[in-house]
């Protein structure tokens, strides 16, 4: 049995865009044509590939089709580039590359190499932001081709490269520390002092408190789910928080370090195990930037 590459690409477009209507606009067809393609594919496979929710989600079969579509598009791009061919109009061939990255990496070191790569290779990047403990799941589903992750064990069908360690320091404004932690970051003071939490999937502050004998769920907290705004909230005295080393600049915001060893988060680059010059070039540029900006893995 052969799977039509156009039908697989249609499934990927629906997942990328979140709806049949949006996928139709991207592919320059009608929503009815998208629906007919998906129906024909599901009838041929004998199984449902998309859950018609908002946004549309892929089933396990749909995830396999998304992976197939992305691999075909990547290998086709590499082949066209190798032959020096160009589509009508003479413009360089373009491809969309979906990548997953944690918020702190995106805010501190990840975007400069992405900008260089986009200019050099005529790539359209589709960045998916998630906690480093969850980005590998996006690789498994086929939603992304590569990811910055905290998982050193390779996801099935992927290659792993160590990037380095992103270090975090517990920071607060001087005025906040004087009010809430006058005798230092003691367990008794930390149990009452409000902190800034990134979101409900982030455990860094929680782990830091547990290591000091404090139940994190009993402590007041403010949720600020954006990396820059998280650091800004700490600078404004909303609470204490673990700030990535590149953002931890006490002199610029009257911040003080609450003490102790920095929290270290090891980061890895996982990418699909394909012989793709483009994907390899992306991985090499990301790894080179990480070596310059992150602490080395031990």
């Amino acid at each position: 049995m052969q799977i039509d590459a156009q039908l697989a690409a249609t499934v990927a477009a629906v997942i990328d865009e979140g709806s049949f209507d949006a996928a139709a606009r991207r592919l320059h067809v009608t929503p009815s044509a998208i629906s007919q393609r998906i129906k024909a594919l599901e009838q041929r496979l004998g199984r449902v590939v998309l859950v018609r929710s908002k946004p549309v989600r892929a089933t396990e079969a749909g995830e396999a089709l998304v992976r197939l579509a992305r691999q075909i598009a990547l290998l086709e791009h590499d082949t066209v580039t190798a032959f020096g061919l160009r589509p009508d109009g003479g413009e360089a061939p373009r491809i969309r590359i979906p990548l997953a990255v944690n918020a702190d990496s995106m805010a501190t070191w990840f975007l400069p190499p992405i900008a260089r790569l986009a200019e050099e290779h005529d790539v359209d990047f589709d960045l998916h932001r998630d906690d480093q403990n969850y980005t590998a799941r996006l690789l498994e589903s086929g939603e992304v081709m590569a990811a910055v992750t905290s998982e050193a064990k390779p996801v099935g069908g992927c290659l792993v490269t160590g990037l380095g360690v992103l270090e975090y320091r517990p920071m607060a404004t001087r005025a906040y520390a004087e009010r809430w932690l006058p005798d230092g970051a003691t367990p008794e003071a930390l149990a009452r002092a409000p902190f800034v939490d990134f979101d409900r999937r982030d455990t860094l502050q929680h782990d830091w408190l547990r290591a000091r004998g404090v139940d994190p769920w009993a402590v007041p907290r403010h949720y600020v789910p954006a990396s820059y705004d998280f650091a800004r909230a700490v600078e404004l005295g909303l609470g204490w928080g673990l700030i990535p080393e590149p953002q931890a600049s006490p002199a610029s915001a009257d911040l003080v370090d609450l003490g102790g060893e920095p929290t270290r988060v090891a980061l890895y680059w996982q990418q699909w195990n394909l012989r793709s010059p483009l994907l390899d070039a992306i991985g090499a540029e990301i790894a080179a930037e990480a070596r310059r900006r992150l602490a080395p893995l031990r």
Side-chain angles (χ1 to χ4, degrees):
M1 177 180 177
Q2 290 185 328
I3 297 175
D4 189 302
Q6 184 188 56
L7 298 183
T10 301
V11 175
V14 173
I15 293 303
D16 285 341
E17 304 300 332
S19 71
F20 284 30
D21 287 350
R25 289 192 293 270
R26 172 174 156 184
L27 298 178
H28 307 292
V29 298
T30 66
S32 176
I34 296 292
S35 181
Q36 291 171 10
R37 289 181 188 180
I38 299 301
K39 183 177 179 180
L41 182 58
E42 290 179 331
Q43 289 177 341
R44 185 171 187 180
L45 294 176
R47 64 192 68 188
V48 175
V49 299
L50 294 175
V51 178
R52 276 69 166 176
S53 56
K54 293 185 178 181
V56 176
R57 294 183 294 106
T59 65
E60 185 175 350
E63 290 177 353
L65 290 170
V66 171
R67 286 194 297 271
L68 174 63
R70 299 206 196 288
Q71 290 172 358
I72 291 173
L74 179 62
L75 296 176
E76 182 179 51
H77 177 276
D78 287 338
T79 301
V80 169
T81 301
F83 286 147
L85 301 177
R86 296 292 184 267
D88 292 342
E91 296 181 357
R94 300 190 71 86
I95 185 174
R96 176 183 295 195
I97 301 291
L99 305 175
V101 59
N102 59 309
D104 289 331
S105 288
M106 192 182 299
T108 56
W109 66 271
F110 189 79
L111 288 179
I114 290 297
R116 294 193 295 269
L117 288 160
E119 182 175 358
E120 181 178 353
H121 296 281
D122 294 308
V123 174
D124 297 327
F125 286 104
D126 184 358
L127 301 184
H128 297 244
R129 191 190 70 184
D130 206 340
D131 187 87
Q132 62 271 3
N133 295 328
Y134 298 95
T135 49
R137 303 287 76 77
L138 299 175
L139 274 171
E140 293 176 338
S141 69
E143 196 166 348
V144 301
M145 297 180 183
V148 176
T149 174
S150 60
E151 296 191 23
K153 183 179 179 180
V155 172
C158 291
L159 299 172
V160 180
T161 301
L163 293 177
V165 173
L166 190 56
E167 295 186 335
Y168 295 77
R169 294 191 177 278
M171 310 292 292
T173 64
R174 196 173 306 276
Y176 173 95
E178 290 173 354
R179 175 185 176 185
W180 292 100
L181 309 169
D183 298 318
T186 65
E188 294 76 20
L190 289 171
R192 299 187 301 270
F195 67 96
V196 183
D197 219 347
F198 186 77
D199 61 29
R200 288 164 177 80
R201 302 176 77 174
D202 177 36
T203 64
L204 285 181
Q205 278 74 219
H206 298 222
D207 294 342
W208 192 85
L209 286 170
R210 288 192 188 97
R212 285 150 184 80
V214 179
D215 177 8
W217 296 110
V219 182
R221 87 280 316 278
H222 305 280
Y223 287 104
V224 184
S227 187
Y228 170 82
D229 297 328
F230 177 94
R232 181 64 178 151
V234 174
E235 292 175 359
L236 291 172
L238 198 61
W240 68 266
L242 288 170
I243 306 295
E245 187 69 39
Q247 291 179 324
S249 178
S252 65
D254 195 31
L255 295 180
V256 294
D257 193 326
L258 301 184
E261 292 295 317
T263 296
R264 295 170 54 86
V265 176
L267 297 176
Y268 302 86
W269 177 255
Q270 295 213 30
Q271 70 180 50
W272 287 353
N273 186 11
L274 296 176
R275 290 189 174 181
S276 165
L278 175 58
L279 199 55
D280 289 345
I282 293 171
E285 188 73 19
I286 295 297
E289 183 74 15
R291 285 194 295 270
R292 291 190 290 267
R293 301 291 297 276
L294 302 179
L297 289 165
R298 294 176 181 172

